[in-house]
């Protein structure tokens, strides 16, 4: 019927059973003095007379279940290692975090993907997760696991949700082996072909030649990937009909891809033997290679009428002169100063026969 804490109780009118209206909590007392001593006054009546009794109920501390203090949801970046979340629990009786607590994994659809330190509660993936290739039960990058905390007497279980997030990753360029063909003796600067490469991240690509048996003969545009002739003197089918270059493409973000460029030479009909024979009969041609002037000279016994034709390897006529009387220690000068460096074909024609020879301009 009263008492400082009477409002916290109920009593049976017929059986006299006294009860708390809400279960008391030792750690959070609600009695008037907040000292866990609850005072209530009970009145009993037989219909004629009444008697009152003051009762003091002391609430004692019970061994509580462990209490988790960490969040139950966390995000974790793909490809990462280390602790996903630090599970923290106390014994529920005022103890400090982790004191006397043992942690273990007890369930969840993705329990097998995780490990936990039994002493600290550090939860980690068994292997770094991959956003593009999720291994959780639903393959949606949402991993579920249940953690048990035990204080030696009581246990509590918490369900943890881990969301794996995407991280921007660099993909290496893609470049396949490629094969090209050009004529032997092609002039410096002649295009061989362009290495084709793609990059999934649209990074600007840089090309380079890193190895091969044609390092001196070719160069490559660093941004275009175009292979061009760097030294035409190397391009001799009879010496080496094929070249193999290792080309690397770099995306500037750690992605490097090598590929092989095979360059095959087309054989040209150079017909140099006839002129060598002709030279033995009294005609000389020098210097070869030539820089400014090509000299044709005949000895005192040579006596023929000549036509001279000089053309590039692609058939373009560069020099032409007819009805030349070559006799009596004859000398003839051909001005080559305006000619591009390269290989040229010299044809000498007489009434009886014709002769061909290669001339190198550099």
């Amino acid at each position: 019927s009263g008492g400082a804490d009477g409002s916290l109780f109920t009593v049976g009118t017929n059986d006299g059973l006294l009860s708390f209206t809400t279960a008391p909590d030792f750690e959070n007392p609600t009695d008037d003095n907040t000292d866990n001593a609850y005072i209530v006054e009970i009145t009993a009546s037989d219909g004629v007379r009444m008697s009152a009794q003051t009762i003091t109920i002391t609430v004692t501390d019970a061994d509580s279940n462990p209490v988790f203090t960490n969040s139950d949801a966390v995000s974790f970046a793909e490809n990462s290692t280390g602790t996903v979340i630090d599970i923290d629990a106390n014994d529920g009786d005022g103890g400090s975090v982790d004191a006397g607590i043992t942690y273990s994994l007890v369930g969840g659809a993705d329990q097998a993907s995780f490990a936990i330190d039994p002493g600290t509660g550090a939860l980690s993936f068994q292997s770094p997760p991959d956003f593009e290739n999720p291994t959780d039960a639903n393959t949606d990058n949402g991993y579920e696991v249940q953690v048990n905390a035990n204080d030696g007497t009581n246990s509590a279980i918490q369900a943890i949700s881990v969301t794996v997030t995407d991280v921007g990753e660099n993909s290496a360029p893609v470049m396949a082996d490629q094969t090209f063909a050009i004529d032997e003796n092609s002039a410096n600067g002649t295009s061989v072909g362009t290495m084709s490469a793609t990059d999934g991240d649209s990074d600007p690509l840089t090309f380079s030649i890193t190895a091969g048996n044609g390092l001196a003969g070719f160069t490559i545009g660093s941004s275009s990937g175009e292979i061009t002739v760097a030294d035409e003197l190397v391009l001799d089918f009879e010496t080496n009909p094929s070249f193999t270059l290792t080309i690397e493409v770099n995306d500037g973000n750690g992605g490097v891809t090598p590929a092989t460029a095979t360059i095959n030479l087309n054989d040209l009909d150079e017909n140099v033997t006839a002129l060598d024979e002709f030279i033995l009969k009294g005609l000389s041609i020098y210097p070869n290679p030539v820089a400014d002037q090509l000299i044709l000279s005949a000895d005192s016994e040579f006596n023929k009428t000549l036509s001279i034709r000089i053309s590039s390897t692609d058939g373009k006529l560069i020099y032409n002169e007819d009805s030349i009387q070559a006799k009596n220690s004859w000398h003839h000068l051909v001005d080559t100063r305006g000619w591009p460096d390269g290989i040229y074909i010299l044809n000498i024609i007489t009434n009886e026969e014709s002769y061909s020879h290669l001339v190198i301009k550099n």
Side-chain angles (χ1 to χ4, degrees):
S1 60
D5 304 305
S7 63
L8 302 177
F9 294 90
T10 62
V11 65
T13 58
N14 294 319
D15 57 16
L17 293 177
L18 183 66
S19 305
F20 276 99
T21 56
T22 303
D25 182 357
F26 182 85
E27 285 73 31
N28 298 285
T30 58
D31 61 293
D32 186 57
N33 295 328
T34 64
D35 60 358
N36 280 302
Y38 294 77
I39 300 172
V40 60
E41 184 180 274
I42 304 299
T43 300
S45 172
D46 61 3
V48 177
R49 295 179 179 83
M50 291 189 301
S51 179
Q53 183 182 31
T54 299
I55 299 175
T56 300
I57 298 98
T58 300
V59 174
T60 58
D61 192 15
D63 190 4
S64 304
N65 290 334
V67 176
F68 291 96
T69 60
N70 56 275
S71 172
D72 62 0
V74 65
S75 295
F76 192 69
E78 67 166 325
N79 305 320
S80 299
T81 59
T83 300
V84 175
I85 183 174
D86 186 14
I87 305 297
D88 290 325
N90 59 55
D91 62 8
D93 298 311
S96 59
V97 169
D98 295 339
I101 303 294
T102 301
Y103 300 96
S104 61
L105 302 180
V106 294
D110 306 300
Q111 176 184 346
S113 296
F114 294 92
I116 195 167
D117 187 302
T120 66
L123 183 70
S124 58
F125 275 99
Q126 294 278 13
S127 59
D130 182 358
F131 182 88
E132 287 72 26
N133 298 284
T135 57
D136 62 293
N138 297 329
T139 62
D140 61 356
N141 282 300
Y143 292 76
E144 305 294 334
V145 63
Q146 292 179 347
V147 177
N148 181 74
N150 185 288
D151 65 3
T153 303
N154 298 315
S155 295
I157 294 176
Q158 183 182 43
I160 302 293
S161 297
V162 180
T163 300
V164 172
T165 57
D166 192 16
V167 174
E169 300 166 278
N170 181 62
S171 58
V174 176
M175 181 171 62
D177 295 343
Q178 295 165 58
T179 300
F180 307 97
I182 59 169
D183 291 342
E184 67 171 324
N185 308 321
S186 293
N188 291 347
T190 300
S191 177
V192 176
T194 299
M195 294 295 290
S196 176
T198 59
D199 185 77
D201 306 307
S202 299
D203 294 324
L205 301 179
T206 302
F207 298 84
S208 60
I209 300 174
T210 60
N213 65 341
L215 294 180
F218 302 94
T219 187
I220 190 168
S222 61
S223 59
S224 67
E226 182 184 17
I227 301 173
T228 56
V229 176
D231 185 355
E232 61 208 36
L233 300 182
V234 174
L235 308 187
D236 180 19
F237 180 89
E238 286 71 27
T239 302
N240 190 358
S242 183
F243 297 88
T244 301
L245 304 176
T246 299
I247 310 295
E248 281 190 353
V249 59
N250 191 317
D251 65 6
N253 289 309
V256 178
T257 301
T260 298
T262 301
I263 303 171
N264 297 319
L265 298 184
N266 300 322
D267 190 18
L268 299 180
D269 183 8
E270 297 164 314
N271 191 23
V272 297
T273 304
L275 186 58
D276 289 340
E277 180 183 342
F278 193 28
I279 292 173
L280 293 176
K281 295 179 180 178
L283 182 66
S284 299
I285 301 173
Y286 61 92
N288 192 7
V290 61
D292 299 325
Q293 286 186 329
L294 181 67
I295 302 173
L296 290 78
S297 65
D299 62 21
S300 58
E301 297 180 0
F302 190 87
N303 186 358
K304 290 183 179 291
T305 300
L306 306 177
S307 293
I308 300 174
R309 309 275 191 273
I310 302 177
S311 59
S312 62
T313 55
D314 61 3
K316 182 180 179 181
L317 186 63
I318 304 298
Y319 182 87
N320 182 31
E321 189 167 350
D322 293 320
S323 302
I324 302 172
Q325 296 298 317
K327 60 180 179 179
N328 300 327
S329 301
W330 166 81
H331 281 71
H332 187 79
L333 304 181
V334 177
D335 187 354
T336 62
R337 286 175 293 182
W339 297 8
D341 290 352
I343 305 295
Y344 295 87
I345 300 173
L346 168 66
N347 291 295
I348 298 178
I349 305 166
T350 71
N351 292 332
E352 300 88 13
E353 49 200 344
S354 65
Y355 308 88
S356 299
H357 189 59
L358 291 183
V359 175
I360 299 172
K361 168 68 167 65
N362 60 23

